[in-house]
Amino acid sequence: MVINSTSPMVVVANRLPFTVQKNPVTGQMERKHCAGGLVTAVAPVVVETEGLWVGWSGQHQEDGVVEIPEANPNDQSPTAGLKSWQVKPMMSQKTLFDNYYNGCCNATFWPLFHSMPDRAIFQQDKWEAYREVNEQFAKLTVEAVQSLSKSNPETIPLVWLHDYHLMMAANSIRDRCDKLGLPIKMAFFLHIPFPSWDIMRLFPWDDELLQGILGCDSVGFHVEDYCLNFIDCCQRRLGCRVDREQMLVEHNGRTVSVHPLPISIPYDRFVSLAEKAPQVVKNNEQEQLLLGVDRLDYTKGLVHRIRAFETLLQKHPEHIEHVTFLQVAVPSRTDVKEYQELKEDLDQLIGRINGRFSTPNWSPIRYIYGCVSQEQLAAFYRDSSVAVVTPLRDGMNLVAKEFVACQVSEPGVLMLSPFAGAGSSMHEALLVNPYETDEFAEVMHRALTMPKDERELRMKQLRHREREHDVNFWLQSFLKSVDCLADNNLTPGRLLPLREEDFSQFLASYVKESSRLALLLDYDGTLAPIAPHPDLARMPEETRRVLERLAHMPDVNVAIISGRSVENVKSMIGIEGITYAGCHGFEILHPDGTMFIHPVPHEYEVQLDQLKKQLEEEVCKYGAWLEQKSSGITFHYREVPKDKQSEIITNAQKLFQNNNIKLHQSHMAYEARPPVTWDKGRAAIYLLRTLFGLDWCDRVSTIFAGDDRTDEDAMRALQGMAVTFRITTLPNLRTAATYRLPNTDAVLTMLKWVEKRLSSRLPVTNGLRSRKTSMSSIGNNSPPHPPSSPTRRSRSNSQSPSPTEPNKQMMVMTDQVYHQLISRKNSPPRVSVSPVNTNTRSTV
């Protein structure tokens, strides 16, 4: 996929996209391709725009001038089209370069930025060497800009600086270009974490470093947390004026934009490698393989990982002779004492564990210390049962993404540290804290014993996300952030995946910082991906955290309206302070423990009992099963083999018909619901009325999101009074929703936008609304008294509630009252929300 840039690009990185080496046979200098996401993504754009690449060739001044050879005619790598004139090699004195690279970059910035300051060394002479080498890079970059300005006089070159090696080059480049009258755009991208303020301020020259980065127009990091750390440092150390919502920093009369740009991999390339690679590791089909692939670095947590595996064998001896740990450790900085000591510790630990647990036919740990080809690596990924990606701290970690891309056969499980940047987006991985050895071992055990259907579900979601957000998407996002993405880059009829800022066009005029907000959300298919079995439909941890923060914001009320029973949906979400509505709104549990239950006819309950008995006896087989709810039942057939589905479906339909109960189609399931005028739409109106009063639509911004037919009832009821989202990928679907979203990831992105939008409000000093307050007990809008109809359900609820049971209420909403409530549904959503004069509102 060719991605065009409107500006010719000058890429400035510590290394060139290839190394220059002498062929031992011919004695000629030749290129050797360097693998990596940066080279794969960026080199074709440099070729396409006839740009330039500035970097170190691996040679020093003492080696003499080395000509850059042209690519081999048979070269198929991404750098094959990069001509020698497009390469500007940086050559420095060997001692100076060593002080810059080993003395400052690796001995200072690497541990400091990975939040390990005790390993960092701060030396004046190494810092001076860093500044001097950055100056040399700056000089070469300006020469590249001059060359491009001559060959492309009508364009403005884009200078893209990469990583912690070049944080001091931007201001020198800008000053030199200003003196020469050369217009440029400059961007910086950091490939490692950016630390918090309390870590960053340990660096003695932090003010110079921050100002060096701010010499660029745009600054990119892998995840939002790193962006916010950088903005915080700029404000606290330099006194810059900042905008955290829009991620802007003002410095020296210039505004610098900050962007989260998570890097990724060439997904299709790894899929192809995995499909072609021969089997290289498994000796028998019964063996399960745990895989670790890392550079031998103290940030990767290799020792913690091996100790956790030892604990696994101690606590779960059933894995002995059935599980093998394959650890690939790529040599790194072998001349540095700390890395030498790390290798010795790891060698001794692996030797001790193998000596303790080995049997004549099996050793628990296979250890490869060296480099492996990408073909071998793809085979390791494909054939492993579990990938253990558990760094103590990492910027992104592409190993996790490569493993997912290579899962082309039997699905494996990804174990991932939350301290890697990938942990913030790969929600279906099993997150594990590498410092907690016992928990680490238990998560390993869970991964090794996970049922196939859950593995398939998790891996399907992971693969879909990584396929959509591949390295091309990363590059597109970067070019878009610096306004250099050509309009004709996008595939016809396809937009970039949704990002947080895209929701501004949907909601910015409706949800203000001062808005009182009601969030009504479905669960399955909206907050959690659809799963083969309801128990597997787990909400991502990041979604849970965002919902929890929203639920505890003043003037934000969250309600979950699901087809599950209220007890089940509450157990799946487990957040206090929000409202749970189960059985499509027939039962509603308020935060204070009070329960609303809609009454149902007695004759329906008799018919339902008969239907339930017949379904269990006649059609609950071949994987079909029955889910019991307080006001109905759901017959699930999604696990029935395809050759048996027709028989099961036909028989189930007949039983529904024979018992005179209307059949409601759901996701691979049939539902029985009470024959009353009550659905998710009326439940939503009831919730909003009891919370905010009859005039709620004049005072409240309401957002509803759902994914199936039952949610359409709420979308129709709220039409004109709320912004509604239908989560669907169906190509031909009629919906009453205001907008459509493609998946649960997009819902999470929407919730994050809402959180950021409302987080700037000032705290309420008096009269803060308690999150324990029931929706049904605010103001004078209590539900009507329970009716006295002599049904079995009403009799059971007329008794005084026990201390351990929620207070249950029943209520009937007549058609007349209901239509009064939605009489304004044809009016469009408000452009703005006027503040209400109430002591529970925070004002900005």
Side-chain angles (χ1 to χ4, degrees):
M1 177 180 180
V2 177
I3 299 174
N4 298 315
S5 170
T6 57
S7 295
M9 187 182 294
V10 180
V11 174
V12 191
N14 180 61
R15 297 296 295 262
L16 293 177
F18 50 78
T19 57
V20 179
Q21 298 177 344
K22 182 179 288 189
N23 188 306
V25 178
T26 64
Q28 300 293 318
M29 301 301 292
E30 61 183 19
R31 300 183 184 186
K32 183 178 180 181
H33 171 63
C34 295
L38 174 65
V39 174
T40 303
V42 178
V45 180
V46 176
V47 173
E48 183 70 25
T49 62
E50 296 187 342
L52 299 168
W53 194 302
V54 180
W56 180 49
S57 66
Q59 306 295 319
H60 299 290
Q61 287 182 3
E62 291 87 342
D63 300 321
V65 178
V66 177
E67 294 290 334
I68 300 297
E70 297 293 348
N72 187 298
N74 298 322
D75 189 359
Q76 298 296 318
S77 70
T79 62
L82 200 64
K83 304 298 183 183
S84 59
W85 63 266
Q86 293 179 275
V87 176
K88 283 193 167 291
M90 198 287 299
M91 300 181 68
S92 180
Q93 293 179 350
K94 188 173 183 179
T95 302
L96 177 65
F97 190 87
D98 183 68
N99 286 336
Y100 144 81
Y101 185 71
N102 290 318
C104 189
C105 293
N106 294 335
T108 303
F109 294 139
W110 182 261
L112 188 72
F113 280 42
H114 284 83
S115 300
M116 299 181 180
D118 56 312
R119 295 180 178 269
I121 300 172
F122 307 115
Q123 294 180 341
Q124 176 78 35
D125 60 328
K126 303 300 190 291
W127 169 240
E128 293 297 336
Y130 180 87
R131 295 178 61 184
E132 187 172 344
V133 173
N134 270 245
E135 187 69 24
Q136 294 177 0
F137 273 102
K139 183 179 178 182
L140 279 175
T141 303
V142 174
E143 292 176 7
V145 172
Q146 285 180 291
S147 175
L148 290 180
S149 296
K150 290 178 182 178
S151 59
N152 300 276
E154 297 181 357
T155 60
I156 300 177
L158 170 62
V159 175
W160 195 7
L161 300 162
H162 283 273
D163 223 358
Y164 61 105
H165 311 91
L166 297 167
M167 294 184 287
M168 289 298 293
N171 281 321
S172 180
I173 296 171
R174 185 175 295 280
D175 291 343
R176 289 171 182 266
C177 287
D178 286 347
K179 291 176 182 178
L180 295 171
L182 297 173
I184 58 168
K185 295 180 180 180
M186 271 202 298
F188 173 80
F189 185 80
L190 186 69
H191 292 260
I192 63 174
F194 194 89
S196 59
W197 157 243
D198 59 331
I199 298 292
M200 188 65 197
R201 63 177 176 170
L202 299 176
F203 184 59
W205 306 280
D206 60 335
D207 58 336
E208 294 181 55
L209 194 68
L210 292 168
Q211 292 179 83
I213 297 173
L214 289 172
C216 294
D217 303 302
S218 174
V219 180
F221 301 94
H222 285 304
V223 297
E224 185 175 302
D225 285 347
Y226 305 158
C227 296
L228 296 175
N229 284 347
F230 175 73
I231 292 171
D232 190 45
C233 288
C234 291
Q235 183 184 43
R236 300 182 70 170
R237 183 65 179 94
L238 303 179
C240 296
R241 189 163 70 99
V242 303
D243 185 331
R244 283 181 171 79
E245 181 179 344
Q246 300 186 60
M247 292 195 180
L248 301 174
V249 179
E250 188 177 78
H251 182 63
N252 287 345
R254 296 171 46 253
T255 298
V256 179
S257 58
V258 184
H259 304 275
L261 299 168
I263 197 171
S264 193
I265 61 168
Y267 182 89
D268 293 334
R269 170 177 164 76
F270 276 94
V271 171
S272 177
L273 286 171
E275 290 173 343
K276 297 176 182 177
Q279 184 169 321
V280 293
V281 287
K282 280 192 176 182
N283 295 327
N284 62 77
E285 293 300 322
Q286 303 304 317
E287 180 185 21
Q288 286 191 284
L289 195 68
L290 289 163
L291 176 67
V293 178
D294 308 85
R295 280 190 313 105
L296 188 61
D297 190 283
Y298 52 76
T299 64
K300 303 301 182 181
L302 272 68
V303 171
H304 299 71
R305 183 183 308 168
I306 299 301
R307 285 177 178 160
F309 181 63
E310 180 182 24
T311 304
L312 172 74
L313 298 179
Q314 289 173 345
K315 298 177 68 175
H316 298 280
E318 65 270 22
H319 293 305
I320 293 176
E321 293 192 338
H322 298 290
V323 174
T324 301
F325 198 119
L326 173 62
Q327 177 62 59
V328 178
V330 180
S332 176
R333 302 165 191 168
T334 54
D335 55 340
V336 178
K337 182 180 178 182
E338 279 189 304
Y339 289 79
Q340 295 170 351
E341 293 174 348
L342 174 62
K343 183 180 183 305
E344 291 176 5
D345 292 343
L346 192 62
D347 290 345
Q348 292 175 7
L349 180 61
I350 291 174
R352 180 176 62 78
I353 295 172
N354 277 342
R356 178 182 176 187
F357 291 100
S358 290
T359 66
N361 298 317
W362 172 80
S363 291
I365 302 175
R366 298 183 190 180
Y367 179 41
I368 299 177
Y369 177 68
C371 297
V372 296
S373 67
Q374 284 204 320
E375 290 75 14
Q376 286 179 308
L377 199 57
F380 291 164
Y381 289 143
R382 182 197 60 208
D383 298 333
S384 298
S385 304
V386 181
V388 188
V389 185
T390 52
L392 305 180
R393 188 69 168 152
D394 215 336
M396 176 55 69
N397 197 302
L398 298 181
V399 169
K401 297 173 180 285
E402 292 168 1
F403 170 75
V404 166
C406 292
Q407 292 294 290
V408 295
S409 54
E410 182 75 11
V413 180
L414 174 62
M415 289 178 59
L416 186 57
S417 165
F419 310 127
S424 65
S425 61
M426 304 183 79
H427 311 304
E428 294 76 19
L430 299 185
L431 295 184
V432 59
N433 186 335
Y435 292 98
E436 297 183 359
T437 304
D438 287 341
E439 182 205 5
F440 201 155
E442 287 303 320
V443 176
M444 277 187 185
H445 175 68
R446 180 187 171 194
L448 289 166
T449 57
M450 183 178 290
K452 184 178 179 180
D453 53 359
E454 184 176 354
R455 284 187 277 123
E456 288 177 337
L457 173 67
R458 290 176 179 274
M459 192 53 64
K460 179 183 177 182
Q461 297 294 329
L462 285 166
R463 285 174 61 80
H464 174 75
R465 185 183 299 108
E466 297 311 317
R467 183 171 56 249
E468 290 291 318
H469 296 81
D470 64 356
V471 71
N472 290 321
F473 172 71
W474 172 69
L475 183 58
Q476 286 177 328
S477 299
F478 163 71
L479 291 174
K480 185 177 180 180
S481 72
V482 293
D483 196 25
C484 289
L485 181 63
D487 291 337
N488 60 2
N489 291 331
L490 301 180
T491 304
R494 180 180 177 186
L495 296 173
L496 292 173
L498 275 171
R499 297 179 299 176
E500 278 186 48
E501 54 264 34
D502 294 323
F503 281 92
S504 295
Q505 62 179 303
F506 300 151
L507 299 170
S509 62
Y510 183 63
V511 179
K512 302 289 187 179
E513 290 87 345
S514 58
S515 293
R516 198 169 188 179
L517 180 67
L519 272 172
L520 310 181
L521 307 167
D522 181 34
Y523 182 75
D524 293 277
T526 302
L527 295 175
I530 295 294
H533 191 281
D535 291 343
L536 299 176
R538 297 288 176 177
M539 183 170 64
E541 190 59 35
E542 186 177 8
T543 305
R544 185 186 309 280
R545 291 195 296 267
V546 173
L547 268 183
E548 198 164 21
R549 291 194 293 268
L550 284 169
H552 288 83
M553 281 187 176
D555 289 334
V556 177
N557 289 87
V558 181
I560 309 299
I561 309 179
S562 171
R564 295 169 177 257
S565 68
V566 73
E567 295 86 1
N568 182 260
V569 71
K570 183 181 180 183
S571 68
M572 298 297 286
I573 294 178
I575 299 176
E576 296 297 326
I578 67 178
T579 299
Y580 295 101
C583 300
H584 306 291
F586 274 85
E587 49 184 15
I588 300 173
L589 179 63
H590 297 297
D592 65 353
T594 58
M595 176 81 94
F596 157 81
I597 298 178
H598 195 286
V600 298
H602 176 66
E603 55 271 20
Y604 162 76
E605 293 184 324
V606 174
Q607 293 169 335
L608 187 67
D609 289 340
Q610 181 66 25
L611 173 62
K612 176 187 172 184
K613 182 179 179 181
Q614 292 176 0
L615 287 171
E616 289 176 337
E617 293 175 351
E618 300 179 31
V619 295
C620 282
K621 54 187 178 181
Y622 307 125
W625 61 284
L626 207 60
E627 180 184 2
Q628 180 66 49
K629 300 177 181 179
S630 63
S631 59
I633 56 174
T634 301
F635 174 72
H636 296 272
Y637 59 86
R638 70 183 67 180
E639 298 179 37
V640 176
K642 289 186 178 180
D643 60 332
K644 300 290 184 181
Q645 279 190 6
S646 177
E647 172 193 343
I648 292 295
I649 289 172
T650 301
N651 291 338
Q653 289 174 345
K654 288 180 180 178
L655 292 178
F656 272 82
Q657 185 177 7
N658 293 341
N659 286 279
N660 199 28
I661 292 182
K662 185 178 180 181
L663 179 150
H664 296 269
Q665 178 73 58
S666 185
H667 289 295
M668 300 289 286
Y670 293 145
E671 288 186 300
R673 301 179 202 158
V676 296
T677 54
W678 189 261
D679 52 32
K680 278 191 179 181
R682 297 205 169 194
I685 295 294
Y686 162 75
L687 288 173
L688 292 165
R689 190 200 73 164
T690 54
L691 175 59
F692 302 110
L694 290 173
D695 60 343
W696 60 268
C697 61
D698 292 329
R699 303 189 287 109
V700 181
S701 296
T702 303
I703 296 174
F704 179 91
D707 77 306
D708 65 13
R709 297 178 184 178
T710 62
D711 298 302
E712 288 290 332
D713 296 326
M715 294 168 189
R716 284 189 291 270
L718 295 171
Q719 203 166 30
M721 299 185 292
V723 172
T724 56
F725 293 95
R726 175 72 186 262
I727 294 81
T728 181
T729 55
L730 295 177
N732 187 18
L733 175 76
R734 295 188 66 181
T735 178
T738 317
Y739 302 108
R740 301 174 189 231
L741 297 178
N743 49 42
T744 56
D745 282 349
V747 176
L748 171 58
T749 305
M750 182 266 288
L751 294 176
K752 291 168 72 174
W753 182 93
V754 171
E755 180 191 12
K756 185 180 293 184
R757 181 73 163 175
L758 300 181
S759 62
S760 60
R761 67 172 76 206
L762 297 176
V764 178
T765 55
N766 294 305
L768 180 63
R769 182 180 68 248
S770 168
R771 303 307 307 174
K772 296 292 184 182
T773 304
S774 168
M775 285 187 173
S776 62
S777 60
I778 294 179
N780 296 319
N781 299 303
S782 302
H785 292 292
S788 56
S789 55
T791 65
R792 184 172 64 185
R793 185 175 301 274
S794 63
R795 286 196 299 270
S796 64
N797 285 304
S798 64
Q799 301 171 4
S800 300
S802 68
T804 58
E805 292 183 353
N807 179 24
K808 297 181 179 180
Q809 303 171 348
M810 291 196 309
M811 169 263 188
V812 174
M813 183 182 291
T814 64
D815 287 346
Q816 181 180 2
V817 173
Y818 176 74
H819 289 299
Q820 281 181 342
L821 295 178
I822 63 169
S823 60
R824 302 177 187 176
K825 65 180 289 185
N826 294 323
S827 60
R830 305 171 313 287
V831 174
S832 62
V833 180
S834 302
V836 178
N837 184 17
T838 171
N839 61 356
T840 62
R841 172 173 297 281
S842 60
T843 58
V844 178

